[in-house]
Amino acid sequence: MALDDRKSEFNFVGTRPDRPDGLDKVTGRAKFGADAYAPGMLHGAILRSPHAHARIIKIDASKAEAHKDVKAVVTRADFSDKPEFKPGLEGEFWNVLENVMAGEKALYDGHAIAAVAATSALAARDALKLIEVEYEVLPHVTDVDKAMAPDAPVIREGAADYSVPAGMHPNVVRYHESGHGEVEAGFAEADLVIEDSFATEATHQGYIEPHACLAMLGNDGKGELWCTTQGHWYAQKYCAAALGIETAQLRVTASEIGGGFGGKTTVFIEPVALALSRKANRPVKLVMSRSEVFRATGPTSSASMDIKIGMKKDGTITGAQGIFRLQGGAFPGAPGDMTAMCGFAPYNLTNVRQVGYDVMANRPKQAAYRAPGAPMGAFAVESVIDELCKKLGLDPIDVRLKNAAHEGTKANYGPTYERIGLVETLEAAKAHPHYAAPLKPGQGRGISCGFWFNHGGETSVSLALSEDGSAQLMVGTPDIGGSRASMALMAAEVLGIPYENIRVTIADTATLGYNDVSHGSRVTYASGLATIKAAKHAVEKLCERAAVKWGIPGDAVKWEDGCAVPSGPNAGDFDPMPLADITADMGATGGPISGHFEATPEGAGVSFGTHIVDAEVDPETGKTSVIRYTVIQDAGKAIHPDYVEGQFQGGAAQGIGWALNEEYVYGEDGRLQNSIFLDYRIPVASDLPMIDTVIVEVPNPGHPFGVRGVGETGIVPPLAAIANAVSNAAGVRMRQLPMSPPRILAALKENG
């Protein structure tokens, strides 16, 4: 039986049914990380460094160990430094472990030094005060440019990889360079060249739910871990390595997740809880405070960027160059390469060069925040494009259309684009009423394009049919954006049964094969593709069972609208056989019917978006109000449009916070000054306008239903679009984020 993977007309996909987890969440039945409980459970707490950089001379935990309520104390000595049985993990494993628990040095304010497990959370926190640590305080650096200076303190010797050119400071640990053409020749062709510098501060994902887990690990090496995570197979792999146990002996279950946005793609407290449990021989629950989340989990990188772009009077970009410096905390991993590749990605450029630096500083290890690195690059590049348009008297959308990448364009970072939808988003932006709406005095309008790669990743899915014709679908990617609804819709589309008849479960690590983390905008694409394939696998079996009942060959049966039917007049005259009729007696016709699929799909398809923003600036206070916002983005095919629109709006809302308010503030002592939401201000409802959305659908050729991931691209254009709007409203170019009232006032004063 032949099954055509391609589909362009749908019965279920593209509809807006109720979310399957909605009732559990509004009634409180949904179980999040901190909701887990086990009999005899202990409570964990972590002692953290008060210094930005210090050598650990001595840890004396004897008083804490003598406390009547304390059952275990762990330090770095309780973890495995040499996971020989984990080939390929060594370098990254060491960085993860060093971040989980400090070794010889504390590398940032908030770095974990030791941990205790006690009979109550209060007793655990009190016991931390009994641990005595002797430090040798060392010089520190938290700024990316200062960390590259010749006299900067060295954070970790020997951390640089092969890519770093000779002679660079040891804090520079990775180097990226790409592009094509001759940029200097391109600048010579230009009628106007603008060169400018920009900076962004680190921001946090701001998820509502703090990191939390419940761990049980026995002396026999068998363990259970319940945690809030975007990737429980990743947690399994790294926790097992840190504890020196076999991966298969640790079963990890992902709880419901109260936000992640990339910040829960790694481990912070999970190995600590397991180590405490093993030492105490009892379950241990560990929940971070909000201050710990800010001080010790991964924010974005901060960035310093130099951009140079040349343009002809007709708007043609003749040359473009970007230098992007990002600090990723005290470990390799800042996405300097991603920033460099993403900044110019929306444009068809003959001459382009980009350089990215990954720099270490005395800050917590950075983590992804939606499209890691891309918003910073877009902010710098799109700001210069806006200035060029203004000085040449050109329409900013027309210029972007003139230079827009399209199918067949050689991307600035190397490959040739397949079918993409950037032009369609720009055309939709120009046609939108927002773009032609009049502005009042003191208001400005900003435009920006944005790009993200999207990702496939290892994926495993299993689908089982029940005798009554309903279906159970098991996926391994935690639901952080409505994926259960999307998976059910795609399965319903293939099986031809109602959406409500399919239950989607996030399987634990003992139930399915390895699944990559829910990141990279991969879930609807990769798990969706696997769901379609698994459902078609089940359909093949359904057709075979129907063929047996009819006494005809299996290839003489096809599947239509939830029924097996003869594939043609020569196959015989039989009434359609519904799925439920086949499954009702499947035990007597060959046994259970299920479908499976495992792969690493590689056709994720890149994604583009265009944002329009109107902002108003009060010249007396510097306060900015975003008064109108429109998001236009190519989704390939919107499986559940409500969720797609929600992703668009969420990216815009987070971008508004990043552009106007949010930043990590470090004091001269290298300590974080704003580690609670009272001082780290994320947008509230009164800060946000109604955010309009336009879904563009240019199908991705790498997916049966045309899906492109949408979770990350939405946060790429906002920083630039808002900066352009604010700069136009204030009459002065804003080059540093966030554009807080003091910064706007300073810029106004500086420019008269």
Side-chain angles (χ1 to χ4, degrees):
M1 180 190 64
L3 286 171
D4 183 7
D5 276 353
R6 300 284 164 197
K7 192 164 186 177
S8 58
E9 296 182 4
F10 302 94
N11 296 316
F12 299 98
V13 165
T15 61
R16 301 173 185 254
D18 291 342
R19 55 189 300 164
D21 56 337
L23 186 61
D24 284 350
K25 287 182 175 174
V26 300
T27 59
R29 287 203 307 252
K31 300 299 182 185
F32 292 85
D35 293 326
Y37 176 84
M41 182 178 78
L42 301 174
H43 296 265
I46 297 176
L47 179 68
R48 299 188 179 278
S49 170
H51 305 293
H53 194 195
R55 183 169 285 107
I56 301 169
I57 305 300
K58 181 182 178 182
I59 301 174
D60 183 358
S62 58
K63 293 179 181 177
E65 291 170 330
H67 191 287
K68 64 181 179 64
D69 293 324
V70 173
K71 305 303 178 185
V73 178
V74 298
T75 64
R76 179 60 175 274
D78 294 281
F79 296 89
S80 170
D81 275 339
K82 296 180 179 179
E84 290 90 349
F85 59 93
K86 302 289 193 303
L89 280 184
E90 290 82 359
E92 179 58 18
F93 165 78
W94 193 92
N95 291 323
V96 171
L97 177 59
E98 186 73 7
N99 190 44
V100 165
M101 188 66 70
E104 296 178 357
K105 293 199 299 181
L107 298 172
Y108 57 89
D109 168 45
H111 200 171
I113 305 298
V116 302
T119 54
S120 71
L122 180 60
R125 289 195 296 270
D126 286 344
L128 294 181
K129 302 171 187 176
L130 301 176
I131 300 176
E132 298 173 359
V133 184
E134 182 181 344
Y135 296 100
E136 177 192 347
V137 178
L138 303 172
H140 66 270
V141 60
T142 58
D143 177 79
V144 62
D145 291 318
K146 292 179 180 178
M148 296 177 70
D151 59 348
V154 176
I155 295 169
R156 286 168 50 197
E157 290 280 7
D161 74 5
Y162 66 91
S163 66
V164 179
M168 303 214 72
H169 193 284
N171 290 342
V172 179
V173 290
R174 285 194 305 170
Y175 174 87
H176 169 88
E177 183 174 353
S178 60
H180 53 253
E182 298 292 338
V183 291
E184 293 303 326
F187 294 143
E189 293 178 34
D191 294 311
L192 177 64
V193 177
I194 290 181
E195 186 171 5
D196 213 339
S197 297
F198 301 85
T200 66
E201 190 37 83
T203 59
H204 199 274
Q205 300 86 353
Y207 33 79
I208 296 172
E209 179 199 27
H211 295 260
C213 66
L214 174 64
M216 292 168 277
L217 180 59
N219 293 323
D220 60 357
K222 293 182 171 62
E224 301 275 346
L225 178 66
W226 168 286
C227 59
T228 173
T229 178
Q230 290 177 239
H232 39 314
W233 271 269
Y234 178 99
Q236 178 195 41
K237 177 169 62 177
Y238 279 91
C239 287
L243 276 298
I245 62 175
E246 293 182 354
T247 305
Q249 300 303 326
L250 177 64
R251 184 174 72 166
V252 184
T253 302
S255 70
E256 291 289 344
I257 184 169
F261 313 109
K264 292 178 181 174
T265 55
T266 186
V267 292
F268 296 104
I269 59 173
E270 294 84 356
V272 178
L274 285 162
L276 288 168
S277 175
R278 179 167 63 182
K279 203 162 189 178
N281 199 28
R282 286 170 64 176
V284 174
K285 184 176 184 175
L286 194 49
V287 181
M288 275 187 163
S289 67
R290 182 59 57 182
S291 178
E292 287 181 297
V293 170
F294 276 114
R295 291 174 66 208
T297 68
T300 67
S301 299
S302 57
S304 168
M305 301 163 286
D306 304 322
I307 305 297
K308 185 177 181 180
I309 300 177
M311 186 177 287
K312 290 184 177 180
K313 291 179 181 179
D314 67 355
T316 302
I317 297 175
T318 59
Q321 178 173 281
I323 311 296
F324 304 89
R325 299 169 292 272
L326 277 73
Q327 68 76 26
F331 308 87
D337 52 350
M338 299 292 189
T339 307
M341 290 188 282
C342 289
F344 296 114
Y347 302 109
N348 184 4
L349 304 174
T350 303
N351 305 295
V352 60
R353 175 178 178 264
Q354 53 259 333
V355 174
Y357 294 92
D358 175 358
V359 184
M360 293 193 303
N362 292 115
R363 296 195 185 202
K365 188 178 191 299
Q366 73 86 39
Y369 184 3
R370 287 191 137 156
M376 300 83 134
F379 162 58
V381 169
E382 297 283 324
S383 293
V384 174
I385 291 176
D386 197 65
E387 280 295 299
L388 286 161
C389 292
K390 189 183 300 183
K391 291 189 176 182
L392 292 173
L394 301 171
D395 181 273
I397 289 186
D398 286 343
V399 166
R400 287 170 171 84
L401 274 168
K402 187 178 189 67
N403 296 281
H406 48 76
E407 185 176 7
T409 294
K410 179 178 173 59
N412 62 302
Y413 59 93
T416 299
Y417 290 132
E418 295 185 346
R419 186 76 176 92
I420 56 175
L422 174 61
V423 169
E424 286 81 354
T425 69
L426 284 163
E427 289 172 344
K430 187 160 188 180
H432 197 281
H434 183 173
Y435 193 60
L439 292 168
K440 297 178 181 178
Q443 296 178 351
R445 178 164 295 145
I447 300 294
S448 176
C449 294
F451 161 89
W452 185 244
F453 303 95
N454 292 337
H455 178 57
E458 296 174 73
T459 308
S460 175
V461 163
S462 184
L463 181 145
L465 298 175
S466 302
E467 290 183 344
D468 61 1
S470 59
Q472 303 168 70
L473 179 65
M474 290 183 291
V475 299
T477 40
D479 185 353
I480 59 172
S483 59
R484 278 175 286 207
S486 297
M487 298 306 114
L489 283 168
M490 285 186 271
E493 194 68 50
V494 176
L495 296 173
I497 62 175
Y499 163 86
E500 294 78 11
N501 288 9
I502 301 171
R503 178 168 182 170
V504 182
T505 301
I506 311 302
D508 62 49
T509 58
T511 309
L512 284 177
Y514 187 88
N515 274 267
D516 203 353
V517 177
S518 290
H519 70 162
S521 300
R522 80 176 208 88
V523 176
T524 306
Y525 165 73
S527 288
L529 185 149
T531 293
I532 293 167
K533 297 283 191 179
K536 289 188 174 185
H537 186 205
V539 164
E540 290 177 355
K541 296 178 181 179
L542 288 164
C543 289
E544 290 169 1
R545 300 293 176 91
V548 170
K549 288 190 171 190
W550 288 332
I552 62 177
D555 59 4
V557 180
K558 63 180 181 179
W559 195 256
E560 288 183 354
D561 299 324
C563 297
V565 298
S567 58
N570 293 334
D573 185 13
F574 302 100
D575 291 334
M577 187 179 296
L579 183 148
D581 287 358
I582 301 172
T583 58
D585 60 353
M586 59 185 174
T589 61
I593 298 175
S594 59
H596 309 278
F597 187 76
E598 301 86 19
T600 303
E602 296 181 349
V606 298
S607 175
F608 293 91
T610 300
H611 290 202
I612 313 171
V613 183
D614 293 350
E616 186 173 71
V617 175
D618 185 331
E620 295 189 359
T621 65
K623 180 181 183 296
T624 295
S625 300
V626 177
I627 55 177
R628 189 169 182 180
Y629 204 117
T630 302
V631 178
I632 303 139
Q633 186 175 320
D634 176 19
K637 177 60 186 178
I639 302 299
H640 192 306
D642 280 355
Y643 280 116
V644 172
E645 291 166 355
Q647 291 289 336
F648 291 3
Q649 292 164 332
Q654 289 177 316
I656 289 170
W658 195 339
L660 299 180
N661 299 309
E662 297 180 44
E663 63 177 323
Y664 267 40
V665 179
Y666 281 92
E668 291 296 322
D669 59 358
R671 302 197 67 187
L672 185 63
Q673 303 295 299
N674 57 334
S675 63
I676 56 174
F677 278 137
L678 183 65
D679 300 317
Y680 181 96
R681 191 175 182 280
I682 64 173
V684 296
S686 58
D687 296 314
L688 302 174
M690 297 299 290
I691 299 170
D692 195 10
T693 60
V694 177
I695 299 174
V696 172
E697 293 185 319
V698 176
N700 168 25
H703 189 277
F705 294 171
V707 167
R708 297 181 194 271
V710 299
E712 293 175 286
T713 305
I715 204 171
V716 181
L719 309 191
I722 297 165
N724 288 337
V726 169
S727 298
N728 291 331
V732 56
R733 173 54 56 185
M734 299 301 299
R735 299 176 176 86
Q736 183 176 0
L737 300 184
M739 296 173 289
S740 57
R743 284 205 179 105
I744 290 177
L745 289 176
L748 290 171
K749 183 177 180 180
E750 182 180 338
N751 287 269

